[in-house]
Amino acid sequence: MLDAIAFYTLAALILAFAIAVITARNPVHSVVFLVINFLAVAIVYIVLGAEFLAMIQVLVYAGGIVVLYLFVVMLVNLKRGPEAHQDPRRQTGAGVGLAVAVLAELTAILAYTGRNPLPAVVPAASARGPGGNTEQLGWLLYTTYLIPFEVASMLLLVAMIGAIVLARKVD
Amino acid sequence: MHFTPITPYHYLLLSAALFSVGVIGVMVRRNIIILFMSIELMFNAVNINLVAFAALYRHEVGQAFAVFVIAVAAAEAAVGLGIILAFYRNKETLNIDEMNLMKG
């Protein structure tokens, strides 16, 4: 009962702010809606028992990536609206149709697989074995997934260097 | 009032809807910053999917993958926004309909 109310509230929040992100005229408003969307997703992670991921979501997404977006929105000072010019060959209707087709396909797959019922999602506390979520996740990341973890750190290093090189002023 | 219990299917449906909103954003908008935000929405949809399956199978592997998705999203945002800045310095626009240097 309580988890159903929580889920539907969060789902409505997430979808409403996602739609607000893609419909807002002003990019700064879009960024603010994106922050609220990310925070709602973080609460979904907590409901699903992924506390560490919720923390990372708040720190990296709502704290880091969104600030990056805000900086870029403020750095580019547009004299005319970014959407002023539209390519006459642009097929907006076909794009929306394709996206709706994607949603219909995914829903059809879910409806097909949904015939064999799954157990209800267990609340966070009772799902856990010994050790907290962070301990278990850290154990996985540093043993089984050590090499992907190192590759990810290398990717971040390369991305950092690449971003510095790209954003540098060329003289 | 009676609700059916929340199964992973509910979360998968939420994730599918969020992903579709992201796809619509990429297809419809012309401001490239909003396009990048739509891509972040799609990353979040994928992460909800992974975490829902992690909760279903009561194992943290799905969450480990979500951590990698977040790392890749951070790298993508940094490099992508760098490209946006470099492009803006050359062409003074953020409209993807005017980004036709390669005649695509």
Side-chain angles (χ1 to χ4, degrees):
Chain A
M1 177 70 195
L2 207 61
D3 57 338
I5 294 174
F7 172 78
Y8 289 119
T9 314
L10 283 172
L13 266 179
I14 288 173
L15 289 180
F17 279 103
I19 290 168
V21 166
I22 66 165
T23 52
R25 289 268 141 244
N26 188 341
V28 178
H29 295 173
S30 271
V31 174
V32 174
F33 293 143
L34 197 65
V35 175
I36 304 171
N37 188 343
F38 286 162
L39 294 180
V41 173
I43 300 174
V44 165
Y45 291 161
I46 291 177
V47 172
L48 285 172
E51 291 93 359
F52 178 73
L53 209 55
M55 220 48 235
I56 291 293
Q57 171 91 0
V58 172
L59 287 178
V60 174
Y61 264 118
I65 293 181
V66 163
V67 172
L68 209 59
Y69 277 101
L70 263 185
F71 268 122
V72 171
V73 169
M74 290 170 182
L75 275 177
V76 295
N77 168 25
L78 293 174
K79 281 147 205 100
R80 59 208 177 87
E83 318 226 359
H85 170 261
Q86 179 168 7
D87 195 321
R89 290 168 300 170
R90 191 179 182 84
Q91 309 273 342
T92 302
V96 175
L98 269 178
V100 172
V102 167
L103 178 60
E105 251 179 71
L106 292 173
T107 315
I109 293 169
L110 283 178
Y112 179 74
T113 52
R115 289 179 310 181
N116 40 346
L118 288 179
V121 174
V122 272
S126 62
R128 181 103 355 95
N133 170 253
T134 309
E135 183 185 339
Q136 303 235 335
L137 196 53
W139 191 256
L140 264 180
L141 281 179
Y142 282 106
T143 54
T144 317
Y145 295 103
L146 181 64
I147 292 174
F149 186 78
E150 295 298 336
V151 171
S153 68
M154 195 55 82
L155 171 77
L156 285 174
L157 176 68
V158 170
M160 187 172 72
I161 296 172
I164 293 171
V165 170
L166 277 171
R168 193 187 42 168
K169 196 168 242 71
V170 252
D171 347 83
Chain B
M1 212 167 150
H2 180 70
F3 291 106
T4 53
I6 300 299
T7 62
Y9 289 126
H10 289 76
Y11 287 98
L12 299 191
L13 204 57
L14 166 66
S15 152
L18 186 57
F19 191 88
S20 304
V21 172
V23 173
I24 291 177
V26 170
M27 292 286 186
V28 171
R29 294 303 296 258
R30 294 188 294 282
N31 184 343
I32 194 165
I33 296 180
I34 309 248
L35 252 71
F36 269 81
M37 289 186 216
S38 305
I39 294 173
E40 301 293 340
L41 289 180
M42 289 194 267
F43 277 129
N44 266 294
V46 172
N47 277 346
I48 291 176
N49 226 331
L50 289 169
V51 176
F53 276 114
L56 170 64
Y57 293 111
R58 304 197 186 179
H59 199 281
E60 270 81 3
V61 173
Q63 297 175 20
F65 269 85
V67 169
F68 290 129
V69 170
I70 290 180
V72 172
E76 175 257 3
V79 175
L81 293 173
I83 292 175
I84 290 177
L85 277 183
F87 189 86
Y88 177 77
R89 216 176 283 135
N90 287 327
K91 297 269 285 182
E92 296 275 306
T93 181
L94 289 182
N95 190 333
I96 54 162
D97 279 2
E98 296 173 14
M99 296 183 181
N100 48 12
L101 288 174
M102 298 177 86
K103 309 290 175 203

